[in-house]
Amino acid sequence: MSRFDKQYESWMQTNTLNEKNPRRLEILHKGLGHGTIEFLRSIWFPAIGNFNDLHPEWEVRDFSNGYRYLDLAYMPGGARGGIEIQGYGPHARDLDVRRFKDLCRRHCLLALDGWTFLPIAYPSIVDEPKQCQQLVLSFVGRFIASDVPATLTWLEAEAVRFTRRLLRPITPLELADHLRVSDRHTRRLLHRLVELQILDVASGERRARTYKLRL
């Protein structure tokens, strides 16, 4: 059994054993959908390495006193992050007007209730896993400020957090501006993070122009 399979099985068992709500418990016993499992296997677990603070089939109330279920809820320290896997068939090709309006309303209600929402298209999981992993790192970076190696200095740690929050490579100049340090000091810091295999050079040969988080 792979490391993913072991942690996934333990995570699902913990969620099931700790759940008292019969509605959610029934859904958990049925198991997660194929798209959600593939997202966890190909995107979340390689990028994050654990299932801490992640809850499958999380129940939320809508404004009509009904119940809706998020594919995944990410809630470190009481934060509200929702992830849903959008299958191409039911969410795009076969979506009728009523269901399309309901989907938009659902997203609006979650946003108004304080949720940060991350929809992921299933075809992107298959075709663009690295881009999806970067999205997940940026999503998690909105909630977590301390998930960096303890051996890093404050400036190095903040450089990693800054890179994680963006959805594109960073330049030394914008990092220097963010950290309020010189360009020379910033480049030394970036070179060290590359040596530590935390960042990669995204562009530039003789002189690096941009850097990105290593996936």
Side-chain angles (χ1 to χ4, degrees), residues 43-55:
I43 310 301
W44 183 274
F45 195 71
I48 305 303
N50 59 64
F51 299 119
N52 298 345
D53 301 307
L54 194 66
H55 306 273

Side-chain angles (χ1 to χ4, degrees), residues 17 22 83 85 99 117 161:
L17 291 175
I83 303 171
I85 313 306
R99 291 176 63 194
F117 195 66
R161 296 184 189 112

Side-chain angles (χ1 to χ4, degrees), residues 18-46:
N18 291 339
E19 183 54 62
K20 305 301 182 185
N21 182 332
R23 293 181 300 271
R24 181 173 179 248
L25 190 59
E26 181 180 357
I27 294 174
L28 290 175
H29 279 310
K30 292 179 180 178
L32 306 188
H34 170 74
T36 303
I37 293 175
E38 286 307 303
F39 168 79
L40 293 169
R41 185 192 309 276
S42 303
I43 310 301
W44 183 274
F45 195 71

Side-chain angles (χ1 to χ4, degrees), residues 7-215:
Q7 292 208 27
Y8 173 79
E9 184 176 307
S10 174
W11 174 67
M12 285 296 294
Q13 185 177 47
T14 298
N15 273 273
T16 302
L17 291 175
N18 291 339
E19 183 54 62
K20 305 301 182 185
N21 182 332
R23 293 181 300 271
R24 181 173 179 248
L25 190 59
E26 181 180 357
I27 294 174
L28 290 175
H29 279 310
K30 292 179 180 178
L32 306 188
H34 170 74
T36 303
I37 293 175
E38 286 307 303
F39 168 79
L40 293 169
R41 185 192 309 276
S42 303
I43 310 301
W44 183 274
F45 195 71
I48 305 303
N50 59 64
F51 299 119
N52 298 345
D53 301 307
L54 194 66
H55 306 273
E57 298 296 344
W58 189 254
E59 183 178 282
V60 294
R61 297 291 296 267
D62 63 22
F63 283 3
S64 300
N65 281 328
Y67 301 99
R68 296 174 182 262
Y69 295 87
L70 300 177
D71 289 339
L72 297 162
Y74 183 61
M75 300 187 292
R80 293 183 174 186
I83 303 171
E84 289 214 321
I85 313 306
Q86 312 286 21
Y88 179 67
H91 287 289
R93 185 182 62 238
D94 303 327
L95 199 64
D96 61 29
V97 173
R98 181 188 62 81
R99 291 176 63 194
F100 176 70
K101 288 165 63 178
D102 183 68
L103 181 64
C104 292
R105 174 180 169 82
R106 171 191 176 98
H107 291 181
C108 288
L109 294 179
L110 287 168
L112 290 172
D113 199 31
W115 288 84
T116 297
F117 195 66
L118 183 70
I120 299 286
Y122 178 77
S124 295
I125 296 173
V126 176
D127 300 332
E128 303 163 343
K130 291 298 183 183
Q131 289 88 332
C132 290
Q133 289 172 17
Q134 183 64 58
L135 282 171
V136 163
L137 286 170
S138 297
F139 175 75
V140 169
R142 295 181 64 90
F143 306 102
I144 296 293
S146 59
D147 56 339
V148 294
T151 54
L152 298 183
T153 67
W154 182 89
L155 285 176
E156 290 167 347
E158 183 57 27
V160 173
R161 296 184 189 112
F162 180 70
T163 307
R164 186 171 291 163
R165 287 194 292 268
L166 299 183
L167 299 180
R168 56 171 176 78
I170 65 167
T171 67
L173 183 61
E174 63 187 345
L175 180 59
D177 183 63
H178 174 71
L179 298 177
R180 299 184 181 278
V181 297
S182 69
D183 178 68
R184 178 177 295 181
H185 186 73
T186 300
R187 287 190 176 275
R188 286 199 300 267
L189 184 151
L190 288 167
H191 291 163
R192 170 166 163 74
L193 291 173
V194 170
E195 290 175 354
L196 292 172
Q197 299 185 343
I198 296 174
L199 298 184
D200 280 331
V201 175
S203 66
E205 295 181 3
R206 294 184 178 180
R207 184 178 175 85
R209 293 195 300 272
T210 59
Y211 295 80
K212 63 181 181 181
L213 201 66
R214 170 167 289 196
L215 298 176

